[in-house]
């Protein structure tokens, strides 16, 4: 099809097809069409938005990266500064929360807000400084448009963060209480004459003490991180790095505290009734269940948050045109 349309002049039927492909994120199709018809990069839809702006509106990062790679810096600035029918430039478009934006596949309102901030910061880097203060038909600059359109998402992100932090704080506080008490009620008790633990020189006792201390310190750290989330001011930019970082540290240390608490429990159980393996082994196996459940429920969220905050990001510039 690209070979047929290349020498032709009347190819208006391609414009709706390319815009539909942009909406669906079909960057391979767009790449081949633009090789045959490079001038289509300046095509506009009914809102007078070009393909570059429409890719931003639809939050199609692969299409955006394709344009970023194919266009020179001067072309990117020129095409990003073009105003649409409502006098919105590319940064205004990035500040809108379009129904076409793909946010349903992102977990949690806080991560959705983080993704929206990443888009706004990315587009902000490619436009001229003067554009950041430009007014649209509503007499709003891009940042004001972003605040207006994302006000509800900020509230939902705050609610999601606080509910998650509150639940995890309760768990962390319980672990602190248990592990602090366990440090002074050691298995086997103390020697009546010396005051030292009876099983002081056993390796399993060392494992118990070390795991108990790690669990206590990590759960304390997680509670402090979650308290930091609960007392945060919840400004828009906090969702970019500050709040996700606190959540990552809180969930990571909570996972460590749960895992080491099970290690301490298993060590203490083995010390006291090591001669009855038919009881010890099943109990140790059962102790793995809470750790497994936590990994199953929270680990995917933790991984997604780490990748979204500290990964290479969605704007990796590795979408290259095909020869």
């Amino acid at each position: 099809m690209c070979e047929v349309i290349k020498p032709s002049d009347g190819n208006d039927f391609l414009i709706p097809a390319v815009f539909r492909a942009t909406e669906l994120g079909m960057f391979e199709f767009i790449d081949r069409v633009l090789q045959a018809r490079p001038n289509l990069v300046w095509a506009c839809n009914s809102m007078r938005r070009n393909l570059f702006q429409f890719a931003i509106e639809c939050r199609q990062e692969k299409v955006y990266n394709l344009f970023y790679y194919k266009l020179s810096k001067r072309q990117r600035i020129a095409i990003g500064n073009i105003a649409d029918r409502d006098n919105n430039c590319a940064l205004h478009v990035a500040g809108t929360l379009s129904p076409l934006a793909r946010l349903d596949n992102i977990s949690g309102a806080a991560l959705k807000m983080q993704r929206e901030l990443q888009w706004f910061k990315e587009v902000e880097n490619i436009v001229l400084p003067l554009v950041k203060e430009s007014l649209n038909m509503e007499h709003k600059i891009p940042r004001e448009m972003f605040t207006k359109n994302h006000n509800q998402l900020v509230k939902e992100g705050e609610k999601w963060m606080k509910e998650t932090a509150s639940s995890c704080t309760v768990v962390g506080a319980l672990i602190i209480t248990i592990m602090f008490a366990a440090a002074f009620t050691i298995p086997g008790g103390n020697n009546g004459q010396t005051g030292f633990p009876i099983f002081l020189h056993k390796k399993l006792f060392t494992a118990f003490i070390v795991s108990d201390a790690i669990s206590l310190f990590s759960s304390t750290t997680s509670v402090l991180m979650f308290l930091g989330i609960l007392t945060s001011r919840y400004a828009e930019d906090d969702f970019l790095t500050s709040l996700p970082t606190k959540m990552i540290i809180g969930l990571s240390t909570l996972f460590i505290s749960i895992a080491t608490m099970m290690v301490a429990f298993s060590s203490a159980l083995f010390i006291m009734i090591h001669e009855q393996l038919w009881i010890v082994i099943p109990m140790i196996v059962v102790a793995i269940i809470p750790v497994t459940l936590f990994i199953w429920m929270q680990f995917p969220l933790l991984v997604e948050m780490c990748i979204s905050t500290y990964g290479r990001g969605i704007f990796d510039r590795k979408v290259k045109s095909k020869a």
Side-chain angles (χ1 to χ4, degrees):
M1 185 184 71
C2 291
E3 292 300 323
V4 171
I5 65 175
K6 189 172 183 180
S8 177
D9 293 326
N11 296 317
D12 292 340
F13 68 91
L14 273 177
I15 296 177
V18 174
F19 273 95
R20 180 60 176 166
T22 301
E23 181 182 343
L24 298 176
M26 301 169 62
F27 68 94
E28 300 95 341
F29 173 81
I30 298 169
D31 181 29
R32 296 302 297 269
V33 171
L34 290 181
Q35 287 183 35
R37 292 291 305 279
N39 60 311
L40 283 178
V41 74
W42 303 97
C44 296
N45 60 8
S46 58
M47 288 289 295
R48 287 177 54 193
R49 289 179 181 171
N50 53 56
L51 287 171
F52 188 66
Q53 293 172 333
F54 192 64
I56 296 172
E57 179 185 354
C58 298
R59 304 298 193 262
Q60 291 290 352
E61 62 275 3
K62 291 185 178 180
V63 180
Y64 174 89
N65 290 334
L66 175 65
F67 284 121
Y68 191 97
Y69 180 82
K70 292 180 74 70
L71 301 176
S72 65
K73 183 177 180 181
R74 182 177 296 180
Q75 288 176 318
R76 288 195 300 268
I77 293 175
I79 202 170
N81 295 340
I82 296 175
D84 65 7
R85 190 178 62 188
D86 296 327
N87 206 32
N88 292 313
C89 65
L91 195 56
H92 282 104
V93 176
T96 60
L97 189 58
S98 170
L100 301 175
R102 301 177 305 114
L103 297 177
D104 292 339
N105 58 345
I106 301 176
S107 303
L111 290 182
K112 292 178 182 178
M113 185 63 192
Q114 183 190 46
R115 179 61 57 85
E116 287 292 290
L117 279 166
Q118 290 171 344
W119 268 102
F120 189 82
K121 296 291 185 182
E122 169 64 24
V123 179
E124 194 176 39
N125 290 332
I126 67 171
V127 300
L128 295 173
L130 185 63
V131 176
K132 300 176 184 178
E133 303 299 324
S134 62
L135 299 175
N136 61 3
M137 294 290 286
E138 299 180 23
H139 299 284
K140 294 185 181 295
I141 62 174
R143 188 70 197 197
E144 291 174 341
M145 285 288 292
F146 184 89
T147 301
K148 173 188 173 183
N149 289 291
H150 293 82
N151 184 46
Q152 185 61 32
L153 190 58
V154 170
K155 293 179 180 178
E156 292 175 2
E158 179 180 352
K159 181 181 178 183
W160 182 85
M161 277 281 185
K162 286 185 175 181
E163 288 178 351
T164 305
S166 298
S167 302
C168 293
T169 300
V170 174
V171 177
L174 287 173
I175 295 175
I176 291 173
T177 305
I178 294 170
M179 302 319 291
F180 186 84
F184 297 97
T185 55
I186 54 178
N190 298 323
N191 190 309
Q193 296 179 349
T194 62
F196 291 110
I198 294 174
F199 299 112
L200 179 62
H201 301 291
K202 284 185 172 288
K203 292 182 179 181
L204 281 174
F205 183 80
T206 303
F208 167 79
I209 289 297
V210 171
S211 57
D212 183 275
I214 293 174
S215 181
L216 178 62
F217 297 148
S218 58
S219 58
T220 303
T221 303
S222 69
V223 168
L224 291 175
M225 287 296 103
F226 293 130
L227 287 177
I229 292 174
L230 292 172
T231 57
S232 177
R233 60 191 182 126
Y234 288 96
E236 289 176 355
D237 289 337
D238 289 344
F239 288 92
L240 188 62
T241 304
S242 176
L243 288 172
T245 299
K246 291 177 182 178
M247 184 63 74
I248 289 170
I249 296 174
L251 288 175
S252 300
T253 50
L254 184 61
F255 168 73
I256 293 172
S257 66
I258 293 174
T260 49
M261 179 179 66
M262 292 299 102
V263 172
F265 169 78
S266 301
S267 300
L269 194 65
F270 200 88
I271 289 172
M272 292 185 292
I273 53 175
H274 62 277
E275 294 180 354
Q276 298 180 344
L277 295 179
W278 65 276
I279 298 178
V280 176
I281 295 177
M283 292 298 293
I284 293 176
V285 172
V286 171
I288 300 174
I289 294 178
V291 181
T292 306
L293 287 175
F294 184 83
I295 293 175
W296 178 59
M297 292 187 295
Q298 300 295 340
F299 195 69
L301 173 63
L302 179 61
V303 171
E304 183 179 355
M305 197 170 290
C306 289
I307 293 174
S308 178
T309 307
Y310 296 107
R312 65 182 184 180
I314 57 176
F315 308 106
D316 57 4
R317 314 292 181 231
K318 291 186 178 181
V319 179
K320 297 185 178 182
S321 58
K322 298 179 181 179

